[in-house]
Amino acid sequence: MIEKINELKSDIQNASISNENELEEFRLEFLSRNGRVQKMFGLMGSVPNEKKAEVGKAMNEVKNLAQATFDGAKNSLHKSEEKTFSATQDISLPVQPTYTGSFHPLTRALHQIKEIFLRLGFNIADGPELEDDFHNFTALNFPPDHPARDMQDTFFVRKSDDPNQQDHVLRTHTSPVQIRLMKDKEPPIRSIMPGRVYRNEAVTAKSYFQFNQVEGLYVDESVTMGELIETLVMFAKLMYGSDVKYRVRPSYFPFTEPSIEMDVWWDNDKGGQWLEILGAGMVDPNVLEAVDVDSEKYTGFAFGMGVDRIALLRYGIDDIRTLYENDIRFLRQFTS
Ligand code: DAH
């Protein structure tokens, strides 16, 4: 009897099942009602009582083996069926578009600005977005009653409930980083300082309560206005192309003397217009003195530009708010 069971067992082990037909043959031969396993159980009656336990156990093992073989074969057949299916798909069909990530237009514009100034020998510096009055205004030669300190432009941050204590602000420009640099470091200093700034302005297509600037500062012995203008012209050409049309106008800032602004000509459907891209000037001696830099020995130039406007111009975006809303449909347009 045991011999018969072993024979059945080895037949099961040797069965080859490589397609649905063979699977069905296996089922009929071993597992069906008239199959060999069932027949084997039918022989139980002729087994002497004292052997019944041993034989029954062996029979059950063979039955389990047959079932497990069947289940395993069925599973792997179905898996390979899936594979065959995908291999026979029409590979000439157009693929579903998958979106790769893309740089935000502000990040792109910033990369470009940084690259240009790194080429011109500037390094990159950084400062906090929460500033105190001294760095944001006083050291930059803003008179105490200057309108820029007015509530309309500045987000004041109070450290306590005392309404008179208004000594912190969300920085309204990146110029306070100039102050930090000059306090920390002896000249020569030649750095750009990119960063986010905040102003208490009405939100419209053209203005927002936060935006990005890049500040520049060069302080050394005998830095001149000529070098400033040459640097800015070089920047404009590298940023907008060597045939860019630009102009430099006199202007006013508390922290520079003399002060200038630079415009570039922007061609559009309405015939084009001048757009201001930056403010600049020679660092006011009062500013140098406020941070203990000897204004007899050193001179410097500084400039500040808006990154948002550059990005809007470059990518033909007409609403600044889209830069901050993180609408994926907007961002996807900049996938390269
Ligand atoms: N801080 C000025 C602003 O926010 C921009 C600026 C103008 C920065 C002239 C400068 C500068 O460093 O020299 O509009």
Side-chain angles (χ1 to χ4, degrees):
M1 190 66 208
I2 289 290
E3 241 168 66
K4 270 203 172 148
I5 295 173
N6 281 339
E7 191 188 313
L8 181 53
K9 185 174 168 185
S10 78
D11 283 353
I12 292 169
Q13 282 166 338
N14 294 331
S16 93
I17 307 175
S18 54
N19 56 42
E20 287 291 336
N21 278 345
E22 286 173 359
L23 183 70
E24 179 60 5
E25 277 168 22
F26 180 92
R27 191 187 68 80
L28 288 173
E29 179 175 355
F30 297 103
L31 290 170
S32 65
R33 200 178 300 187
N34 297 319
R36 289 172 62 185
V37 172
Q38 211 47 45
K39 279 196 178 129
M40 177 188 67
F41 277 105
L43 299 176
M44 207 50 181
S46 61
V47 176
N49 275 346
E50 69 275 13
K51 291 256 179 195
K52 274 204 161 81
E54 185 195 343
V55 171
K57 189 171 168 242
M59 283 184 177
N60 271 326
E61 277 170 14
V62 169
K63 182 187 164 200
N64 291 340
L65 175 70
Q67 189 64 51
T69 306
F70 177 83
D71 291 344
K74 187 174 169 185
N75 257 339
S76 59
L77 274 182
H78 286 181
K79 259 188 217 140
S80 61
E81 213 173 75
E82 279 162 26
K83 261 188 230 141
T84 333
F85 176 67
S86 64
T88 57
Q89 273 178 339
D90 182 353
I91 56 170
S92 68
L93 283 175
V95 291
Q96 289 287 327
T98 51
Y99 292 101
T100 52
S102 58
F103 284 112
H104 192 283
L106 277 175
T107 308
R108 282 205 199 185
L110 194 57
H111 274 170
Q112 247 182 319
I113 297 170
K114 282 184 185 169
E115 227 171 82
I116 291 171
F117 283 105
L118 288 172
R119 266 174 75 179
L120 297 179
F122 287 72
N123 59 25
I124 296 173
D126 204 1
E129 293 182 16
L130 186 62
E131 270 295 4
D132 52 30
D133 182 273
F134 175 77
H135 291 87
N136 199 78
F137 295 124
T138 305
L140 287 162
N141 200 32
F142 281 80
D145 55 353
H146 194 279
R149 294 173 183 237
D150 194 282
M151 292 294 288
Q152 305 213 319
D153 297 316
T154 308
F155 287 113
F156 290 95
V157 179
R158 258 186 239 140
K159 281 205 302 192
S160 71
D161 287 338
D162 176 0
N164 296 319
Q165 201 180 355
Q166 297 182 329
D167 51 0
H168 279 71
V169 301
L170 287 178
R171 67 179 175 194
T172 57
H173 51 177
T174 41
S175 302
V177 191
Q178 288 186 29
I179 300 301
R180 292 182 177 274
L181 269 186
M182 288 190 284
K183 269 170 51 179
D184 285 355
K185 208 172 155 302
E186 291 285 306
I189 296 170
R190 188 155 42 173
S191 304
I192 58 164
M193 300 143 251
R196 194 171 280 203
V197 304
Y198 302 85
R199 286 191 200 169
N200 191 3
E201 289 192 48
V203 171
T204 70
K206 297 276 168 255
S207 69
Y208 207 62
F209 57 85
Q210 65 178 37
F211 48 100
N212 290 267
Q213 290 188 333
V214 174
E215 191 80 12
L217 178 70
Y218 179 26
V219 181
D220 202 350
E221 290 177 36
S222 65
V223 174
T224 67
M225 186 82 177
E227 286 170 293
L228 168 60
I229 292 179
E230 198 177 322
T231 304
L232 297 181
V233 169
M234 187 82 93
F235 167 75
K237 289 186 169 173
L238 291 171
M239 191 73 198
Y240 298 100
S242 51
D243 54 352
V244 65
K245 238 168 94 183
Y246 61 86
R247 70 180 184 191
V248 172
R249 292 178 285 110
S251 182
Y252 172 78
F253 300 100
F255 35 90
T256 44
E257 180 60 36
S259 304
I260 57 172
E261 277 175 334
M262 186 181 219
D263 304 333
V264 297
W265 182 258
W266 179 47
D267 267 326
N268 57 20
D269 337 332
K270 293 165 208 138
Q273 68 184 103
W274 287 110
L275 275 178
E276 180 206 318
I277 58 161
L278 55 84
M282 300 305 293
V283 180
D284 193 298
N286 287 344
V287 174
L288 297 175
E289 295 301 331
V291 288
D292 297 324
V293 172
D294 183 353
S295 65
E296 296 292 327
K297 184 169 175 200
Y298 294 109
T299 53
F301 70 62
F303 56 85
M305 62 181 75
V307 183
D308 301 61
R309 174 167 285 184
I310 291 175
L312 297 183
L313 261 187
R314 263 205 106 75
Y315 303 113
I317 304 163
D318 53 15
D319 190 331
I320 188 173
R321 291 170 290 196
T322 54
L323 294 178
Y324 295 94
E325 282 166 354
N326 286 335
D327 185 330
I328 199 77
R329 293 165 302 177
F330 168 77
L331 297 175
R332 272 184 185 153
Q333 296 173 49
F334 302 96
T335 312
S336 46

